[in-house]
Amino acid sequence: MSAHNEEAPELIEDQFIEGGPTELEAGPDAAGQRLDQWLAGKLGPDMSRSRVQMLIRQGAVSIGGKPVDEVKRRMAAGDRVSVDMPEPEPAEPQGEAIALDVLYEDSELIVINKPAGLVVHPGAGNWTGTLVNALIHHCGDSLSGIGGVRRPGIVHRLDKETSGVMVVAKTDRAHKALSEAFADHGLTGDLRRAYLALVWGIPPRPTGTVDAPLGRAADRVRRAVVPEGRDDARHAITHFTVVERFGEKQQEFATASLVECRLETGRAHQIRVHMAHIGHPVVGDPDYGKAFRTKANRLPEPLRGLVKAFSRQALHARLLEFRHPTTHLSMRFEAPIPGDMEELVDGFRKL
C-alpha cells in the first residue's frame, strides 16, 4: 500500500446525532429543491442520498410537524424540517471467528485479500461462513450497516470463487464516498481495478476492449451478452492486456494466456462473460467455460490433471486503487495470485 503525500483537507465533523431528532430550516436557496437532495446536503458528508430517501420513506422526516414520505417533494423557503435519526440498525448476521488476510485497516475502512471459496455476504444457501460474518466479528460495532442489514459495509463484491483485493467501509462517511467511487467506475475519479485471468487460447492482439452489453441469460441466473436495446441490457466495457502466452510455439497441446483485465464498468460476472464472448473463457469457469472443458484432454500430464481438478474460475483481483474517503490520499493495494492458481499458471508455462 502506498499513500501519496498530498495535503488532506480538514475533516468535517458530524452534524447530526443518531438516535435523536435533528431540526433544520430551509433558507431562500432551498426553494424548488427536492427534499432528498436538500436534506442530503444539510446532513453532511456521512449521509448518502439513498439513506436519506430510506429515512423519508420510513416516516422519519417531518415538515412543519407533519410526516412526509415523498422524496421528490419540492422545498419552500422557511420549511422547518425535523429528522428523527433512528439508532443504527444492527446487522442480522452474527460475527464468526473466520480468519481474514488484512492488507490495511484504519477507523474508516478495511482492505482484505479475499480467498477463493468465501462468499461475500449472506444469502440463500449461504447464511453463515461469509465475509460479512467474519467482518462483524473482526470490526465489531464499527462496521457500517447502511449497505443493508445483510451487507454491512459492502461497497463492491467479488464472486465466491474469485480471490483478491476488496475494500469494506467501517463508517457511513466511508461507505458514501466509496460507493460513489465504485458507481463511477473511476471514469472521473481515482478508482482502478485490475484482475488476472488465465484464459483458454491466445487473443490475436496483445490488447483489446470488449464493449458488449450484459443482461440475464436464458436461465435467469447467469449473465450473457445481449442486444443493446433489450430492457435488461446494461452497458459493459472490459479492457484486457495479454501478460503471458502459453504454448504458442507448438501445435500438439491446447494453448492459454494470462491476461490482465481492467474494468470500465462493474457488472456481475463481467470479465467471465466478456472473455467467453470473444472465445477465450476463463480456465475452470463452471458457468461460462463448459464448452472448453475438453481442452484439458489436449494437455500433457501433470497439467491435464491440474486443470481437471481446478473446479473454479482462474480469476484473481490483483490490484485496487482508490482515494481514501477522509484523508483523500491515494491508496494502492495488490494481492499475489493464490497458490492453486499460481500452480496452474506454472504448469502452462512448461508447455
Side-chain angles (χ1 to χ4, degrees):
M1 186 277 294
S2 62
H4 301 322
N5 291 324
E6 301 175 5
E7 185 176 352
E10 183 179 356
L11 302 185
I12 301 175
E13 295 297 328
D14 293 348
Q15 298 179 9
F16 62 91
I17 300 174
E18 292 189 325
T22 297
E23 305 292 337
L24 301 166
E25 183 173 350
D29 59 340
Q33 289 189 44
R34 283 175 43 153
L35 172 61
D36 59 336
Q37 293 174 326
W38 179 82
L39 199 54
K42 285 295 183 181
L43 292 177
D46 297 301
M47 293 289 286
S48 65
R49 193 191 300 181
S50 62
R51 191 180 185 195
V52 168
Q53 291 173 344
M54 180 181 67
L55 291 173
I56 294 171
R57 294 189 179 104
Q58 290 176 341
V61 177
S62 300
I63 297 181
K66 297 180 179 180
V68 293
D69 58 7
E70 176 54 54
V71 298
K72 296 181 181 180
R73 182 194 187 280
R74 297 295 172 175
M75 298 291 296
D79 277 346
R80 298 187 67 83
V81 181
S82 176
V83 184
D84 187 12
M85 299 299 298
E87 295 288 348
E89 186 177 9
E92 288 185 357
Q94 300 299 308
E96 298 177 41
I98 301 170
L100 290 174
D101 182 3
V102 178
L103 303 179
Y104 175 83
E105 183 176 11
D106 61 22
S107 61
E108 297 283 338
L109 55 85
I110 181 172
V111 181
I112 61 108
N113 178 18
K114 187 189 88 67
L118 182 64
V119 175
V120 171
H121 51 78
N126 294 286
W127 295 111
T128 61
T130 71
L131 175 61
V132 163
N133 295 113
L135 289 166
I136 292 172
H137 179 271
H138 179 87
C139 301
D141 294 337
S142 67
L143 190 63
S144 168
I146 65 172
V149 294
R150 294 194 180 97
R151 298 184 48 159
I154 303 298
V155 295
H156 70 124
R157 55 167 287 180
L158 297 177
D159 293 337
K160 174 183 177 181
E161 299 298 349
T162 299
S163 57
V165 187
M166 281 190 66
V167 60
V168 176
K170 294 170 65 177
T171 67
D172 291 343
R173 173 165 35 207
H175 193 285
K176 178 177 183 290
L178 291 170
S179 294
E180 290 173 351
F182 276 91
D184 183 63
H185 304 298
L187 295 178
T188 59
D190 301 308
L191 181 74
R192 293 179 64 215
R193 289 177 287 173
Y195 294 71
L196 284 177
L198 179 64
V199 303
W200 288 112
I202 300 174
R205 296 181 301 276
T207 62
T209 297
V210 186
D211 184 348
L214 300 183
R216 294 282 185 181
D219 61 11
R220 308 297 296 171
V221 176
R222 295 180 299 165
R223 301 300 191 273
V225 171
V226 299
E228 189 170 348
R230 211 170 83 171
D231 289 345
D232 65 334
R234 297 293 182 268
H235 183 56
I237 298 179
T238 302
H239 305 284
F240 69 88
T241 300
V242 179
V243 179
E244 290 187 65
R245 300 169 178 81
F246 308 120
E248 64 177 336
K249 295 181 179 180
Q250 53 79 41
Q251 298 180 345
E252 181 181 359
F253 305 120
T255 59
S257 305
L258 186 66
V259 299
E260 180 180 88
C261 296
R262 291 183 178 266
L263 298 177
E264 186 171 316
T265 58
R267 308 302 177 192
H269 301 181
Q270 179 175 315
I271 292 174
R272 299 163 62 191
V273 178
H274 272 173
M275 295 311 295
H277 178 66
I278 64 172
H280 301 286
V282 178
V283 173
D285 193 326
D287 297 315
Y288 306 103
K290 288 182 178 180
F292 281 67
R293 282 180 177 175
T294 56
K295 287 279 189 180
N297 296 328
R298 295 185 51 206
L299 296 172
E301 291 290 1
L303 179 57
R304 181 188 307 168
L306 286 175
V307 172
K308 288 186 174 182
F310 198 84
S311 60
R312 66 177 183 88
Q313 63 267 10
L315 181 62
H316 175 68
R318 76 162 191 89
L319 170 71
L320 177 62
E321 294 183 12
F322 59 90
R323 191 166 292 275
H324 194 282
T326 54
T327 67
H328 301 285
L329 298 177
S330 178
M331 316 285 283
R332 176 188 174 98
F333 301 94
E334 296 188 58
I337 295 179
D340 62 342
M341 185 172 165
E342 182 64 30
E343 183 181 22
L344 202 59
V345 171
D346 284 342
F348 275 100
R349 287 188 177 118
K350 297 172 183 176
L351 284 178

